[in-house]
Amino acid sequence: MSASQTSDVPTLLVKIFGKDRPGITAGLFDTLAAYSVDVVDIEQVVSRGRLVLCALVTEPTVASQGELRATIHSWAESLKLQAEIISGTGDNRPRGEGRSHVTVLGNPLTAEQTAAIAARIAETGGNIDRIFRLAKYPVTAVEFAVSGCETEPLRTALAIEAHTSGVDVAVVSAGLHRRAQRLVVMDVDSTLIQDEVIELFAAHAGCEDKVAEVTAAAMRGELDFEQSLHARVELLAGLDASVVDKVRAEVRLTPGARTLIRTLKRLGYQVGVVSGGFTQVTDDLKERLGLDFASANTLEIVDGKLTGRVTGEIVDRAGKARLLRRFATEAGVPLAQTVAIGDGANDLDMLNAAGLGVAFNAKPVVRRAADTAVNVPFLDTVLYLLGITREEVEVADGGEDLLH
């Protein structure tokens, strides 16, 4: 029977409550089968071992309806369950136009924060159709399926509420594209890794303070990225090339980085990095982590010494966005299917160009400009923004590792 055929047909909503155990769903429909009813809809939720099972079915003949009700109640009582049967007409009401997935991350996620997000969804004209927990560790992540309002105004409203309530919220449009294979491109310094690579090199050259001064000048807008890059790299002139191996060994991955990349690769995603740092480090990360793409600036080395210069194309703010587009073309992925992750102002063009831009523990100006912000120190929480559950990650990790 099609949806249009059930619009005016008398239906029964059968609700079962109680302690969950195997066989309840089969038992309910075995019982209903004796009355030749059609199944219109089913929904089941289990929380802390307690079951709520709802079955929307066509109404049986008038003569047998009373018998069906009595039989369902008797069956439920025999299993120490509760049953409620409600008469009505037709199917569930259609979902409203405009559908989005709203992912909320909290550490912890409080009732007050949840109430504020739900209230703002309602104020925007949205209806919450379903709520599903994605993860309980290392953060609590829940997903709201929302209909009745367009994605962009909902994202704007919830971004304001997220800042006010101190919770991370991502809003993406619902649709088949969310399940498509994608390209994920991330910044390196303070995103994929916990360090700033130029500072690691500067420590070996004994010029950390001078490098920090140039960085501060760039942050104040007195120097653009390319000027500051050349000024800082000049301070490394004369450093022995053997320092490259030392810096590689000192690099610390961000918590969750391996899990993020391993899971994405298992799902068929392609993953790349772009960096204002140096290929001497990003090439090593590409090999170690099994990345598909990597691009950065290159320190010039002559006669076993750093010259204080960089060679090749400069990877700056505009360069990162350009590389994102290049990687997408090479990967055969539409730009709308790309995800960019970064923390600094020089990531903004890339974040804005991507289908989904994620500000990871970012500066305020970046958080305001990005599609969504993650403010917990676990890079694998980005998986939840893509609708991937913690349980799926852990099941995949129980199998053979793809990365070593």
Side-chain angles (χ1 to χ4, degrees), residues 168-229:
D168 294 339
V169 179
V171 182
V172 297
S173 178
L176 288 175
H177 68 274
R178 196 178 187 219
R179 294 180 175 84
Q181 292 181 2
R182 294 185 182 183
L183 168 68
V184 177
V185 176
M186 66 190 88
D187 174 45
V188 175
D189 293 11
S190 299
T191 301
L192 178 63
I193 67 174
Q194 300 177 59
D195 311 282
E196 294 289 329
V197 169
I198 185 68
E199 294 177 3
L200 296 180
F201 277 100
H204 289 281
C207 59
E208 300 110 306
D209 291 344
K210 291 182 179 179
V211 165
E213 288 176 11
V214 176
T215 301
M219 295 292 288
R220 291 193 298 267
E222 297 168 9
L223 297 171
D224 64 21
F225 177 81
E226 185 170 349
Q227 290 174 318
S228 70
L229 174 67

Side-chain angles (χ1 to χ4, degrees), residues 42-75:
I42 311 170
E43 186 134 359
Q44 179 172 307
V45 176
V46 178
S47 182
R48 212 175 67 176
R50 305 296 294 181
L51 167 85
V52 179
L53 170 59
C54 297
L56 186 64
V57 299
T58 55
E59 200 174 77
T61 62
V62 176
S64 60
Q65 186 177 149
E67 181 183 339
L68 179 148
R69 291 174 177 268
T71 303
I72 292 295
H73 282 289
S74 176
W75 168 81

Side-chain angles (χ1 to χ4, degrees), residues 231-277:
R232 287 177 290 183
V233 170
E234 284 177 8
L235 297 170
L236 306 180
L239 199 59
D240 193 272
S242 62
V243 76
V244 169
D245 288 335
K246 295 176 182 178
V247 168
R248 287 174 173 175
E250 291 167 352
V251 165
R252 300 167 299 162
L253 292 174
T254 298
R258 286 187 182 276
T259 300
L260 171 68
I261 294 168
R262 181 172 60 242
T263 304
L264 291 173
K265 296 292 289 179
R266 283 173 170 156
L267 290 171
Y269 286 53
Q270 297 187 61
V271 184
V273 294
V274 291
S275 176

Side-chain angles (χ1 to χ4, degrees), residues 14-184:
V14 180
K15 302 171 70 176
I16 304 297
F17 313 86
K19 184 178 179 181
D20 187 34
R21 75 201 72 159
I24 291 177
T25 305
L28 172 62
F29 286 96
D30 276 344
T31 305
L32 290 169
Y35 297 91
S36 300
V37 297
D38 295 333
V39 177
V40 179
D41 196 6
I42 311 170
E43 186 134 359
Q44 179 172 307
V45 176
V46 178
S47 182
R48 212 175 67 176
R50 305 296 294 181
L51 167 85
V52 179
L53 170 59
C54 297
L56 186 64
V57 299
T58 55
E59 200 174 77
T61 62
V62 176
S64 60
Q65 186 177 149
E67 181 183 339
L68 179 148
R69 291 174 177 268
T71 303
I72 292 295
H73 282 289
S74 176
W75 168 81
E77 289 173 6
S78 72
L79 295 176
K80 297 183 178 178
L81 300 170
Q82 293 178 287
E84 182 180 2
I85 303 173
I86 304 170
S87 297
T89 302
D91 198 351
N92 301 308
R93 65 179 178 82
R95 294 179 63 191
E97 294 294 323
R99 299 180 185 180
S100 305
H101 295 285
V102 176
T103 306
V104 182
L105 308 179
N107 190 25
L109 179 62
T110 68
E112 182 179 7
Q113 292 167 331
T114 306
I117 294 297
R120 189 60 67 99
I121 290 172
E123 290 170 6
T124 312
N127 184 71
I128 299 171
D129 300 313
R130 186 170 183 259
I131 304 175
F132 178 73
R133 187 179 73 182
L134 295 168
K136 60 181 178 180
Y137 171 83
V139 299
T140 300
V142 295
E143 181 177 288
F144 297 75
V146 176
S147 63
C149 60
E150 295 302 319
T151 298
E152 285 304 321
L154 181 63
R155 179 182 290 151
T156 300
L158 292 183
I160 296 170
E161 187 56 56
H163 178 74
T164 302
S165 300
V167 68
D168 294 339
V169 179
V171 182
V172 297
S173 178
L176 288 175
H177 68 274
R178 196 178 187 219
R179 294 180 175 84
Q181 292 181 2
R182 294 185 182 183
L183 168 68
V184 177

